[in-house]
Amino acid sequence: MSRIQGSESERRLVRSFRALAAEERETLLAFAEFLVQRGAATQPPHRGPREPIPMPRPATESVVGAIKRLSKTYEMLDRGPMLNETSALMSAHVLQGRPANEVIDDLEALFARHYRDDRAKHPSEG
């Protein structure tokens, strides 16, 4: 195995990533992408389109795929306020074995609720 370059944090992350199974790696990557999007929210808000862009739910969809789909559907939302709930749902699936379809149902409800709350706070923008 080659020597890992970077800071101690980067080396720890790479070692942890390499120790995971393929599905867990996808989950970690999706979570990292979610955090990056949340970090972008600290910049001036880009409100973009105010209406969700409907994307059909595939018959067989992973929790990671659902988060990506819903992030695109509701691209106008700030991911920061959803981080704890999204993380808890992903953990329930990965760590506790909760079925993906149930977690995806809850993710869809979570994104829809945050969209409704955002619309209520910014009625003139929709």
Side-chain angles (χ1 to χ4, degrees):
M1 194 176 289
S2 65
R3 183 153 171 79
I4 302 169
Q5 300 296 314
S7 69
E8 178 57 28
S9 296
E10 290 171 306
R11 291 192 298 269
R12 284 179 42 224
L13 181 61
V14 170
R15 282 193 298 271
S16 296
F17 180 83
R18 289 178 178 169
L20 297 172
E23 184 177 319
E24 293 167 328
R25 285 180 178 187
E26 283 300 313
T27 300
L28 179 59
L29 288 172
F31 188 63
E33 290 168 357
F34 184 85
L35 290 174
V36 168
Q37 288 178 350
R38 184 187 108 200
T42 61
Q43 299 172 0
H46 167 64
R47 298 307 270 177
R50 295 300 306 151
E51 295 297 321
I53 303 165
M55 301 173 97
R57 179 175 171 173
T60 56
E61 182 177 43
S62 68
V63 172
V64 171
I67 291 171
K68 288 179 180 181
R69 174 178 56 83
L70 292 165
S71 292
K72 288 177 184 174
T73 297
Y74 295 97
E75 67 181 19
M76 77 293 292
L77 294 179
D78 175 7
R79 306 295 183 275
M82 297 188 294
L83 178 63
N84 288 338
E85 291 173 275
T86 303
S87 299
L89 289 168
M90 186 178 289
S91 295
H93 173 63
V94 174
L95 302 176
Q96 299 165 4
R98 188 165 174 222
N101 62 329
E102 291 179 13
V103 172
I104 294 169
D105 289 344
D106 286 349
L107 283 166
E108 288 180 338
L110 170 69
F111 275 77
R113 185 180 82 240
H114 278 268
Y115 175 71
R116 285 190 307 272
D117 292 350
D118 186 64
R119 289 283 299 227
K121 289 178 190 173
H122 307 98
S124 63
E125 294 178 17

